[in-house]
């Protein structure tokens, strides 16, 4: 949505830094999605159990909503949404799953648990990116 917005609208009134931040943000979101897809192949939910496999689902859904709303706001010339609150409970469950897998020493669960932990780190990076995108998106709306 960022790239479409920038292609369809005049960005002369925006600073080059803001345009660059939005374009770089779109690229980071795309690369994170590719990384998460690759990690999902190594994260066998069946090996971890339902509680672990679904631990990040609410956070992923929140990101989807936030970035979709950001794209719509940019397209409509509206102010961006505020950054969403992180799901601390889901992150705690991911850490518990990783600790348990390592403590048990089962090779069949260690790799998927670490994949889930890495996915959690990617989501942390996306959450920090929200904070950086709000200001240039507000400039675009003005």
């Amino acid at each position: 949505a960022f790239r479409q917005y920038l292609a369809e609208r005049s960005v002369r009134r925006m600073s080059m830094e803001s345009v660059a931040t939005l374009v770089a943000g779109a690229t980071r979101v795309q690369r994170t999605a590719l990384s998460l897809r690759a990690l999902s192949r190594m994260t066998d939910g069946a090996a971890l159990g339902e509680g672990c496999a679904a631990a990040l689902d609410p956070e992923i859904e929140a990101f989807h909503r936030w970035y979709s709303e950001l794209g719509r706001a940019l397209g409509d010339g509206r102010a961006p949404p505020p950054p969403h609150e992180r799901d601390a409970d889901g992150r705690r469950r991911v850490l518990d799953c990783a600790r348990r897998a390592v403590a048990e020493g089962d090779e069949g669960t260690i790799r998927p648990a670490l994949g889930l932990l890495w996915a959690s780190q990617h989501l942390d990076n996306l959450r920090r990116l929200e904070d950086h995108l709000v200001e240039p998106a507000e400039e675009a709306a003005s």
Side-chain angles (χ1 to χ4, degrees), residues 92-124:
R92 183 188 46 75
R93 289 194 331 246
V94 168
L95 284 173
D96 290 344
C97 291
R99 275 192 211 112
R100 189 171 46 250
V102 171
E104 292 172 357
D106 179 4
E107 293 295 324
T109 59
I110 290 174
R111 182 180 167 127
L114 291 177
L116 193 61
L117 191 58
W118 290 325
S120 170
Q121 293 302 302
H122 281 298
L123 295 178
D124 281 342

Side-chain angles (χ1 to χ4, degrees), residues 5-78:
Y5 168 79
L6 294 172
E8 291 176 356
R9 300 199 185 261
S10 171
V11 293
R12 284 181 268 155
R13 62 189 163 161
M14 292 178 63
S15 71
M16 237 359 192
E17 182 180 346
S18 292
V19 172
T21 298
L22 291 173
V23 171
T27 301
R28 285 178 64 187
V29 170
Q30 183 179 31
R31 286 179 182 240
T32 299
L34 293 173
S35 294
L36 290 172
R37 182 181 296 159
L39 284 170
S40 72
R41 289 186 209 119
M42 69 181 274
T43 306
D44 178 14
L48 292 174
E50 187 60 35
C52 291
L56 295 177
D57 288 352
E59 187 79 355
I60 290 170
E61 290 170 12
F63 279 114
H64 183 263
R65 281 190 306 274
W66 192 87
Y67 281 98
S68 294
E69 180 57 31
L70 177 63
R72 284 190 294 276
L74 285 169
D76 296 341
R78 292 183 287 112

Side-chain angles (χ1 to χ4, degrees), residues 26 62 71 78 87 132:
R78 292 183 287 112
D87 178 18
H132 294 291

